[in-house]
């Protein structure tokens, strides 16, 4: 068991932003997304070769974008040993 520790103010802010981000996408809340993204945001999806420039471009795809669902963080790396 790992001991619990209180998140630092920076970590708490990151967790709050992540929760706001997921909630805004999950509920298709355009106003919430405008609060999170800068007006001149640039988002690149290298896997699909897509790019969105500006908040208006992002919001145009809001109703057709796949939903972001709350869940666990994806694993960053996995360590395995042959022992």
């Amino acid at each position: 068991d790992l001991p619990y520790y209180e998140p630092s103010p920076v970590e708490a802010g990151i967790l709050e932003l992540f929760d706001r981000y997921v909630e805004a996408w999950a509920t298709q809340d355009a106003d919430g997304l405008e609060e999170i993204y800068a007006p001149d945001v640039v988002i690149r999806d290298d896997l699909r070769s897509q790019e969105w420039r500006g908040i208006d471009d992002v919001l145009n795809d809001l109703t057709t974008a796949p939903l972001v669902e709350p869940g666990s963080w994806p694993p960053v790396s996995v360590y395995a040993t042959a022992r």
Side-chain angles (χ1 to χ4, degrees):
D1 288 318
L2 296 174
Y4 173 79
Y5 66 94
E6 198 68 34
S8 72
V10 171
E11 291 168 326
I14 291 169
L15 293 172
E16 178 188 345
L17 178 62
F18 177 77
D19 289 341
R20 287 177 48 213
Y21 175 82
V22 170
E23 179 69 20
W25 273 110
T27 60
Q28 296 181 336
D29 178 7
D31 292 334
L33 289 171
E34 284 188 47
E35 291 175 8
I36 294 170
Y37 286 111
D40 58 350
V41 64
V42 175
I43 301 172
R44 290 186 182 96
D45 182 343
D46 291 333
L47 296 175
R48 294 188 182 119
S49 298
Q50 290 181 296
E51 184 174 276
W52 297 266
R53 291 188 164 271
I55 189 65
D56 291 334
D57 207 12
V58 172
L59 295 179
N60 284 338
D61 287 343
L62 181 60
T63 58
T64 59
L67 295 178
V68 174
E69 296 187 21
S72 60
W73 289 77
V76 175
S77 63
V78 177
Y79 175 77
T81 180
R83 292 187 201 187

